[in-house]
């Protein structure tokens, strides 16, 4: 077999491709995982706060949907805690964090006109 330019380029491309696949298998997911523990903690805290906020939004929306005509929607901190545990899989959700998230979203959505909550007590 004689080596010509086409064969040499083909072999080079194949070797580089196999090398990239091996490197991807070895370092799988490394770019996604943070290298520093402090960055991992801060990311987990941001994600926890965002999930609490989303759970509070979901609870407010569900309470507004279920309220009857002329009745105030009742939004509880316990509902936010339960929704955060069920939807986002947290084993421990502090009540004070859930109450703070509910207060922020309660004010953001201007719920005082048609909702009642225990987050301020």
């Amino acid at each position: 077999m004689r080596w010509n330019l086409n064969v040499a380029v083909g072999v080079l491309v194949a070797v580089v491709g196999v090398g990239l696949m091996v490197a991807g298998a070895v370092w799988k997911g490394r770019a996604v995982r943070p290298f520093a523990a402090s960055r991992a903690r801060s990311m987990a805290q941001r994600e926890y706060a965002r999930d609490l906020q989303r759970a509070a939004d979901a609870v407010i929306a569900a309470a507004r949907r279920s309220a009857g005509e002329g009745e105030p929607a009742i939004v509880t901190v316990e509902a936010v805690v339960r929704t955060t545990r069920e939807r986002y899989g947290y084993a421990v959700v502090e009540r004070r964090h859930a109450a703070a998230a509910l207060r922020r979203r309660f004010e953001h959505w201007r719920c005082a006109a048609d909702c009642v909550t225990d987050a301020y007590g």
Side-chain angles (χ1 to χ4, degrees):
M1 176 177 167
R2 278 190 75 197
W3 287 88
N4 61 17
L5 187 60
N6 289 336
V7 173
V9 170
V11 169
L12 181 65
V13 168
V15 168
V16 170
V18 169
L20 287 173
M21 286 189 291
V22 168
V26 170
W27 292 305
K28 177 181 166 189
R30 187 154 198 135
V32 182
R33 291 189 305 255
F35 292 113
S38 63
R39 283 195 305 177
R41 276 191 302 276
S42 67
M43 182 63 194
Q45 289 170 349
R46 282 193 302 257
E47 188 174 310
Y48 176 69
R50 185 178 61 231
D51 290 342
L52 275 172
Q53 195 167 344
R54 288 178 180 168
D57 285 342
V59 168
I60 289 170
R64 282 182 165 169
R65 280 192 306 270
S66 66
E69 184 68 32
E71 294 179 352
I74 300 172
V75 184
T76 63
V77 175
E78 187 57 39
V80 174
V81 170
R82 186 177 54 250
T83 302
T84 305
R85 286 180 181 162
E86 290 172 358
R87 280 196 182 175
Y88 302 106
Y90 289 99
V92 177
V93 178
E94 291 192 35
R95 189 181 194 292
R96 63 187 177 98
H97 293 158
L102 182 56
R103 284 191 299 270
R104 280 192 305 272
R105 301 318 285 172
F106 194 81
E107 292 166 3
H108 174 78
W109 293 113
R110 294 179 172 82
C111 293
D114 63 344
C115 298
V116 177
T117 186
D118 62 347
Y120 290 98

